[in-house]
Amino acid sequence: NERTFIAIKPDGVQRGLVAEIISRLERKGFKLVAIKITVPSKEFAQKHYHDLKDRPFFNGLCQFLSSGPVVAMVWEGEGVIKYGRKLIGATNPQASEPGTIRGDLAVVVGRNIIHGSDGPETAKDEINLWFKPQELVNYKSNEEKWIYGVN
Ligand code: GTP
Ligand code: MG
């Protein structure tokens, strides 16, 4: 079962967009299997964004991620890694399509309200970084047979 890590950054939480964002992922048909609200430390933020450590905005980015509550989630579903990114939209909200989360709800790249894993490897690493295995919940939803057309 494919899973991805999605986080609502401090700007999304402060702007009251948690329910809106969860709602979009839920209505698509993806399944929420882990969720928590936490203020990550700067060191933790640096771990999360380690692949960007040589970029000029790295420090500001990690500072910002650790500046307030983040809603960390794991979502499950067929193609959820790639399609989750599609629902989120392009990194820079100035380039995100309308209809995407960033396109509809954000304006600048440094405050783009949401994060999503960019591939199977990062999804695995990020889920392991943010969650303990026992925090992931395995369950069946009755809607699955209607979403996937199988028993
Ligand atoms: P995430 O889902 O947050 O990882 O975004 P992404 O995968 O679409 O982009 P990327 O991993 O390349 O960058 C991570 C985050 O760094 C972005 O979401 C932005 O918040 C921030 N970022 C990326 N590029 C820039 C930039 O040019 N300037 C600034 N200020 N921030 C940037
Ligand atoms: Mg990224």
Side-chain angles (χ1 to χ4, degrees):
N1 287 350
E2 186 174 325
R3 287 175 169 179
T4 194
F5 174 72
I6 292 179
I8 305 172
K9 300 180 189 180
D11 48 346
V13 175
Q14 294 296 340
R15 290 177 56 203
L17 296 173
V18 172
E20 164 79 29
I21 290 168
I22 290 176
S23 176
R24 288 181 180 218
L25 294 158
E26 263 187 330
R27 283 184 293 150
K28 167 68 176 169
F30 293 139
K31 182 163 69 177
L32 182 61
V33 297
I35 184 167
K36 65 176 145 194
I37 184 163
T38 175
V39 181
S41 67
K42 181 131 190 234
E43 294 67 39
F44 190 92
Q46 287 164 345
K47 266 189 212 164
H48 172 76
Y49 278 129
H50 68 273
D51 54 317
L52 299 172
K53 64 179 183 311
D54 297 326
R55 307 297 289 277
F57 54 83
F58 180 70
N59 190 51
L61 176 63
C62 296
Q63 190 78 50
F64 180 63
L65 193 73
S66 58
S67 70
V70 169
V71 173
M73 301 176 282
V74 178
W75 286 85
E76 183 180 298
E78 240 177 80
V80 69
I81 300 173
K82 202 164 172 209
Y83 206 89
R85 296 269 296 180
K86 222 170 188 171
L87 289 176
I88 288 170
T91 306
N92 188 338
Q94 298 283 339
S96 315
E97 295 295 331
T100 65
I101 291 167
R102 287 170 176 161
D104 290 348
L105 305 171
V107 183
V108 299
V109 70
R111 297 291 183 273
N112 61 4
I113 71 172
I114 183 167
H115 162 84
S117 305
D118 60 14
E121 281 309 308
T122 40
K124 188 151 62 70
D125 292 348
E126 290 171 359
I127 291 168
N128 288 333
L129 176 65
W130 288 80
F131 290 96
K132 302 184 186 96
Q134 64 268 31
E135 292 177 308
L136 304 181
V137 180
N138 294 304
Y139 66 101
K140 274 261 171 250
S141 117
N142 276 321
E143 289 199 357
E144 282 170 47
K145 60 178 180 289
W146 299 105
I147 294 166
Y148 293 103
V150 293
N151 311 304

